[in-house]
Amino acid sequence: MKFDVIIGLEVHAQLQTNTKIFCGCATDFTPDSPNVRTCPVCLGLPGALPVLNQRAFELAVIAALGLRCQIAPFTKWDRKQYFYPDLPKGYQISQYDLPFSFSGLVEIPADPAVAGEENALRQVRIIRAHLEDDAGKNVHDESGRGSDSQVDLNRAGTPLVEIVTEPDLRSAREARLLLEEIRLLLLYLGVSDCNMQEGNLRCDANINLHIHHDSGLTTKTPIVEIKNLNSFRFLEQACEYEIDRQLKTYGTMTEIHDRTKRTYGFDPARGITFEQRSKEEAADYRYFPDPDLVPVTVTREQVAHWETLVPERPQDRRRRYHSAMGLTPYDASVIIEQGRPFADFFENIVAHGADPKQAANWLTQDIQRILNERKCGINEFPVPAELVGLILAKVSEKSLTLKAAREALDLLVERSEEQSVSAATLDQIIQERGLAIVQDDSLLKEIIQKVIEKNPKPVADYLGGKPAAAGSLLGQVMREARGADPQVVKGLVTAALDALKFADS
Ligand code: ZN
Ligand code: MN
């Protein structure tokens, strides 16, 4: 059976403000002290008046600009009414027909299984991004003893940016890739911590199928919205399950009468989606402009200013690491996905003279190993990027071997426990340990002569036709001439021994 998968996402991200969107309550995560972050405004008490948090608006605009959206010159607030115990106002403050931003674009790698080729790109259009307040949280007793359900309103009124995409995704995998890319973007923009365990990034997936029958007829299955997916894996699993379910349910139908959009949940324990309710239409919410809040007007100058606060997007960095620095797309992604401080560290190393590929290898292997051992992030790495760059620059100009460079880095990390380390510390370490490549061949030749004189047995063995005997001589020379290039030493030792051979004969 031939079919196309049609998926669009609605992503909710909590904005990283200190206080809520319409009142002064703190937004810190306090699950153990319910209802301590509340006031008359976020409790929805009569007569309390909301005031927009300017920082929330700015962060939302930066998110929208990162998504390449247009910013509306005029935007307003609407009440979306519904009843639920975690919503004391009886309505959510959201944006209906005039969101603050619209028409964006995000690019992700297309799923090769759908695109039919590797390295194709999928352009995902963003319909809009709007601002709204979050609801509280119902806490149900799960002990089975039938205790009361409780409501915690600490989260009520937390600022959310909701990002709505066109249904441009063509597989469960692409849905996951898009959510990953949006998360990475918001992290680079610094507008949300995207902590999925705390529910600060969650997503709904709208999904249906276009089934192409042998008769040439195409049927479209009713759209299902899977709510509140709070992990990448759950999103992918839920979409996969739902694609299967719709195929089984509608695969052979050439006419589908009930086209009602439905709301589903996902049960991670069983890996299945299940129906919750038929979806409310917009009219069911009785949207109307919130009379308590003034609309917001935005000038071109303000937008121009906010544009300056948008850093380079992960997508653009990835491309630059590949095209300008020569990294493979894979290596570029590995660095970018570690987060902005990590990518900045990488660029800093390169700016201080390291070869980009060498820097990428070091970061993802040697430095990552040290970070794992010390259980810390790149921000706490004790050796500054400038110094790491300096070490690798010495490798590039062949004054350190890669092995000696590793030793120098380890020693710098060790010394950093007692003192702050600098270029002088590095020079000191290189000297003390004799790590520098011995550039001067005459010095090497002297060492080799001494080793040959002290070791008549292996020398005799070598001359007697046992080339392997050179190995022990080589080892001794390397120990004496630490930091020497092994290839150079090998050449010189062999030459010295062969000279003896010819002198003998
Ligand atoms: Zn409040
Ligand atoms: Mn929403």
Side-chain angles (χ1 to χ4, degrees):
M1 196 184 311
K2 279 193 173 162
F3 62 92
D4 297 316
V5 174
I6 314 290
I7 303 177
L9 298 186
E10 292 169 25
V11 180
H12 286 91
Q14 179 176 328
L15 294 167
Q16 232 165 350
T17 54
N18 296 326
T19 55
K20 294 183 180 180
I21 183 169
F22 297 119
C23 65
C25 294
T27 52
D28 51 340
F29 187 58
T30 43
D32 299 326
S33 323
N35 299 308
V36 294
R37 300 286 186 252
T38 55
C39 74
V41 172
C42 54
L43 288 174
L45 300 187
L49 286 173
V51 177
L52 175 64
N53 177 343
Q54 189 182 334
R55 184 69 185 145
F57 193 83
E58 282 174 359
L59 291 178
V61 170
I62 291 170
L65 290 173
L67 293 159
R68 298 186 156 86
C69 285
Q70 311 283 311
I71 305 301
F74 177 88
T75 185
K76 69 174 173 67
W77 309 95
D78 299 279
R79 292 186 177 182
K80 179 182 182 179
Q81 358 267 321
Y82 63 97
F83 173 78
Y84 209 59
D86 65 10
L87 188 73
K89 298 195 299 303
Y91 58 86
Q92 180 185 30
I93 302 176
S94 184
Q95 303 201 281
Y96 181 50
D97 52 339
L98 294 172
F100 79 90
S101 76
F102 53 90
S103 298
L105 187 74
V106 179
E107 215 173 67
I108 54 165
D111 183 350
V114 183
E117 52 170 315
E118 298 287 332
N119 304 326
L121 292 170
R122 177 79 62 212
Q123 313 258 346
V124 183
R125 292 164 296 162
I126 306 295
I127 298 176
R128 58 189 278 165
H130 67 256
L131 262 165
E132 55 189 32
D133 61 356
D134 204 351
K137 191 175 160 53
N138 292 327
V139 186
H140 302 292
D141 176 52
E142 282 163 8
S143 68
R145 287 192 291 273
S147 305
D148 296 339
S149 286
Q150 298 177 314
V151 183
D152 177 4
L153 294 173
N154 283 347
R155 210 180 61 190
T158 303
L160 299 178
V161 62
E162 176 174 342
I163 300 158
V164 184
T165 80
E166 292 280 3
D168 288 338
L169 301 159
R170 293 292 168 267
S171 73
R173 181 171 168 69
E174 287 186 4
R176 178 196 180 120
L177 287 174
L178 179 67
L179 186 61
E180 286 177 346
E181 190 64 28
I182 288 179
R183 174 174 177 272
L184 201 60
L185 174 66
L186 297 179
L187 285 173
Y188 269 71
L189 296 173
V191 299
S192 173
D193 68 10
C194 295
N195 185 327
M196 297 177 94
Q197 279 82 41
E198 293 178 8
N200 299 349
L201 181 73
R202 39 194 208 266
C203 130
D204 309 331
N206 286 286
I207 173 164
N208 78 329
L209 306 179
H210 292 180
I211 299 174
H212 309 295
H213 299 275
D214 293 340
S215 61
L217 203 75
T218 295
T219 49
K220 299 180 179 179
T221 64
I223 297 171
V224 161
E225 178 174 7
I226 311 169
K227 296 295 274 187
N228 264 323
L229 297 160
N230 61 359
S231 91
F232 299 119
R233 197 159 48 88
F234 294 167
L235 169 62
E236 193 170 359
Q237 283 177 350
C239 289
E240 268 163 11
Y241 181 86
E242 186 56 27
I243 291 166
D244 241 41
R245 192 194 66 78
Q246 292 190 17
L247 263 186
K248 285 195 184 109
T249 311
Y250 303 105
T252 55
M253 283 188 204
T254 47
E255 233 178 305
I256 300 168
H257 293 291
D258 183 3
R259 311 204 47 82
T260 321
K261 182 173 171 182
R262 284 171 200 284
T263 300
Y264 272 55
F266 177 65
D267 179 350
R270 290 190 290 163
I272 64 166
T273 59
F274 59 90
E275 181 163 358
Q276 294 178 320
R277 55 192 150 92
S278 65
K279 172 77 183 167
E280 291 83 357
E281 299 293 323
D284 298 328
Y285 289 119
R286 294 294 186 270
Y287 279 103
F288 74 89
D290 193 310
D292 289 342
L293 282 160
V294 286
V296 178
T297 52
V298 172
T299 64
R300 279 164 180 262
E301 289 71 31
Q302 279 174 305
V303 177
H305 166 66
W306 286 321
E307 288 270 14
T308 65
L309 304 179
V310 178
E312 188 181 24
R313 298 168 185 85
Q315 193 188 323
D316 300 332
R317 277 205 186 198
R318 217 178 266 128
R319 195 169 290 150
R320 179 164 61 84
Y321 288 6
H322 176 54
S323 61
M325 294 188 175
L327 297 194
T328 63
Y330 175 80
D331 284 345
S333 289
V334 168
I335 289 171
I336 302 277
E337 273 151 32
Q338 294 290 319
R340 194 170 153 195
F342 199 87
D344 286 345
F345 197 91
F346 164 74
E347 294 194 21
N348 233 327
I349 299 178
V350 174
H352 285 84
D355 169 70
K357 281 183 200 166
Q358 192 71 261
N361 285 341
W362 257 42
L363 254 183
T364 54
Q365 290 162 30
D366 299 89
I367 292 181
Q368 191 64 61
R369 168 180 53 81
I370 297 170
L371 293 177
N372 292 346
E373 281 165 12
R374 299 168 69 95
K375 294 188 175 56
C376 70
I378 195 74
N379 284 333
E380 294 111 329
F381 190 68
V383 181
E386 298 73 38
L387 265 187
V388 179
L390 199 59
I391 299 176
L392 286 179
K394 287 183 190 294
V395 174
S396 297
E397 68 206 21
K398 300 209 182 311
S399 65
L400 279 184
T401 63
L402 201 52
K403 185 161 166 286
R406 283 205 182 92
E407 195 173 333
L409 178 67
D410 283 338
L411 286 166
L412 275 173
V413 171
E414 226 170 77
R415 300 237 169 132
S416 68
E417 305 275 351
E418 299 128 36
Q419 54 175 105
S420 70
V421 289
S422 64
T425 328
L426 175 62
D427 287 340
Q428 202 186 340
I429 287 173
I430 291 174
Q431 270 230 306
E432 280 173 21
R433 301 278 170 145
L435 294 176
I437 289 178
V438 180
Q439 303 279 15
D440 185 356
D441 280 3
S442 64
L443 185 63
L444 268 177
K445 282 178 185 160
E446 243 174 68
I447 296 172
I448 291 168
Q449 277 316 316
K450 263 189 239 158
V451 170
I452 287 178
E453 280 161 27
K454 275 195 283 179
N455 294 279
K457 172 95 172 68
V459 173
D461 287 348
Y462 180 87
L463 295 176
K466 289 183 190 158
S472 82
L473 299 171
L474 199 65
Q476 289 190 51
V477 176
M478 284 304 292
R479 271 192 292 282
E480 296 263 323
R482 293 177 54 90
D485 186 329
Q487 287 308 318
V488 173
V489 172
K490 194 174 176 195
L492 289 174
V493 168
T494 317
L497 289 170
D498 287 345
L500 288 176
K501 198 189 287 181
F502 294 127
D504 270 8
S505 55

